[in-house]
Amino acid sequence: MNPDRRQLMGAALAAGLLPCLPAAAVRAERWAFGYFKNRDEGHPGLRLAVSADGLAFEPVQADEPVLLPTVGENRLLRDPCILKDPAGPWFHAVWTTAWEGVTVGYARSRDLLNWEAQVALPVMADVPGTRNVWAPEIVFDTDRREFVIFWSSTVRGRFSDSAGTSEDDYNHRIFCTRTRDFQSFTPAQLLFDPGYSVIDATFHRSGGKLRMIFKDERLKPEHKWLQWCEARTPLGPFGPVSRPFTRSWVEGPAAFQRGSETIVLFDSYRDNRFEAAATRDFKTWRDASAQVRLPAGASHGSVFPIDESLYEALRRA
């Protein structure tokens, strides 16, 4: 490439005028996407898709579930999150088990296909007035060397300043518990309260910073969009909340790193499709929806890196 063309391309990239890097320019990595199908209540379960480039995700096992729910108040499996254990061979999965209740579903696997016995973790059982536990996720706290499981809950009688701003008297905040072995857990504690109803929180590390991405769930006034804030650790403290980086009526963010870009997938649930936003600095965002291909009917899930051997094994499955 001649110097003039290189300079022009560099300027265009800096301005966000070119699409994200092709697969060949992204560091060698493979990704998996764990998800559920929102309109498949008769055949629920955890499904997987894999990708060689972070853009096109192919369903595993003919898009059939790799894990069927057997625990929890309603025995649902919605909003799954999967995290690789940094110190061992396990993949840990958590999910929503019920529309109303106090539990989180949990299971672990070495290969993402064969799962050990499921457990319903009663994370909010000791918090009076708990109405629901939605969209749990896991993050590893590198300073404390422990896992943080976090989710959104409405607790009746709390946060009265924002009562009535969401549908059906929901008024969510983000709560969490901590564990090192998934056997013993700390009491549930309030993790994040920006002063209004929030759901679907997820953490992402990039550029040496940790950020929480979440949905502003307010209907009055109508927001329903995604925002983010910096976090010193998974337990906070949290910095100022950003302006929204999506339109309204989206949810379920799943963030992952693809080369120099952070990709955030999210569910445009009124349009029955996924969209994507991409950024290099969390200031300038571009619409990457046209570049991403996900299995038909996929809903709220998580994207995470896997190695080449597991990628090939899942493709063969």
Side-chain angles (χ1 to χ4, degrees):
M1 181 185 297
N2 66 59
D4 291 339
R5 180 172 172 78
R6 186 182 298 114
Q7 185 175 12
L8 286 171
M9 288 193 67
L13 282 168
L17 299 177
L18 291 182
C20 61
L21 299 175
V26 177
R27 64 189 174 91
E29 192 168 43
R30 302 291 183 258
W31 293 266
F33 175 42
Y35 60 97
F36 82 107
K37 289 195 172 183
N38 193 34
R39 291 164 180 79
D40 194 18
E41 298 292 352
H43 193 33
L46 170 66
R47 289 170 164 83
L48 294 173
V50 292
S51 176
D53 62 2
L55 298 175
F57 287 82
E58 304 173 5
V60 170
Q61 204 167 267
D63 207 18
E64 289 296 313
V66 298
L67 178 66
L68 293 171
T70 61
V71 300
E73 292 90 343
N74 296 152
R75 288 174 170 74
L76 297 180
L77 195 157
R78 300 172 62 88
D79 321 314
C81 174
I82 301 174
L83 178 72
K84 176 68 168 62
D85 194 315
W90 298 106
F91 289 91
H92 302 284
V94 292
W95 62 87
T96 302
T97 63
W99 288 107
E100 296 200 353
V102 297
T103 67
V104 162
Y106 168 75
R108 68 178 188 174
S109 171
R110 294 175 183 268
D111 61 5
L112 297 174
L113 295 173
N114 301 287
W115 295 83
E116 293 195 344
Q118 302 169 36
V119 181
L121 305 176
V123 293
M124 290 289 279
D126 295 329
V127 181
T130 295
R131 182 176 174 183
N132 62 311
V133 175
W134 285 357
E137 297 218 1
I138 317 175
V139 64
F140 187 71
D141 189 328
T142 56
D143 294 333
R144 290 174 172 265
R145 306 300 299 173
E146 63 186 7
F147 298 92
V148 180
I149 304 175
F150 55 100
W151 61 88
S152 58
S153 285
T154 289
V155 180
R156 296 178 181 90
R158 295 184 66 175
F159 315 111
S160 57
D161 288 348
S162 56
T165 58
S166 296
E167 302 96 321
D168 303 320
D169 293 325
Y170 283 114
N171 190 13
H172 297 90
R173 297 300 190 274
I174 307 301
F175 292 80
C176 74
T177 182
R178 309 191 316 273
T179 184
R180 292 187 174 179
D181 56 9
F182 292 91
Q183 299 293 322
S184 60
F185 301 85
T186 62
Q189 66 184 80
L190 180 65
L191 175 63
F192 182 62
D193 174 16
Y196 50 87
S197 184
V198 289
I199 63 171
D200 294 356
T202 189
F203 281 100
H204 178 70
R205 299 181 192 273
S206 65
K209 294 182 178 181
L210 178 67
R211 297 177 177 91
M212 175 189 278
I213 302 168
F214 58 91
K215 179 186 179 183
D216 178 342
E217 182 64 346
R218 285 176 289 183
L219 178 62
K220 303 173 184 178
E222 182 178 302
H223 287 180
K224 299 286 188 176
W225 51 46
L226 299 184
Q227 298 173 278
W228 62 270
C229 62
E230 288 190 15
R232 188 175 301 172
T233 76
L235 298 176
F238 298 95
V241 173
S242 75
R243 294 175 59 85
F245 65 91
T246 69
R247 60 186 178 85
S248 299
W249 296 101
V250 302
E251 64 185 16
F256 64 101
Q257 199 65 22
R258 182 181 182 272
S260 62
E261 282 197 312
T262 297
I263 308 293
V264 181
L265 304 177
F266 51 91
D267 192 349
S268 177
Y269 54 97
R270 280 187 159 183
D271 298 324
N272 299 327
R273 69 187 186 96
F274 256 89
E275 297 179 9
T279 183
R280 289 183 171 85
D281 56 10
F282 277 77
K283 297 177 183 178
T284 302
W285 295 83
R286 67 177 184 83
D287 185 355
S289 304
Q291 294 177 281
V292 176
R293 189 175 76 246
L294 299 173
S299 291
H300 189 169
S302 59
V303 178
F304 52 98
I306 57 176
D307 61 33
E308 182 70 27
S309 61
L310 181 55
Y311 168 77
E312 291 296 340
L314 291 173
R315 285 193 68 200
R316 289 194 296 272

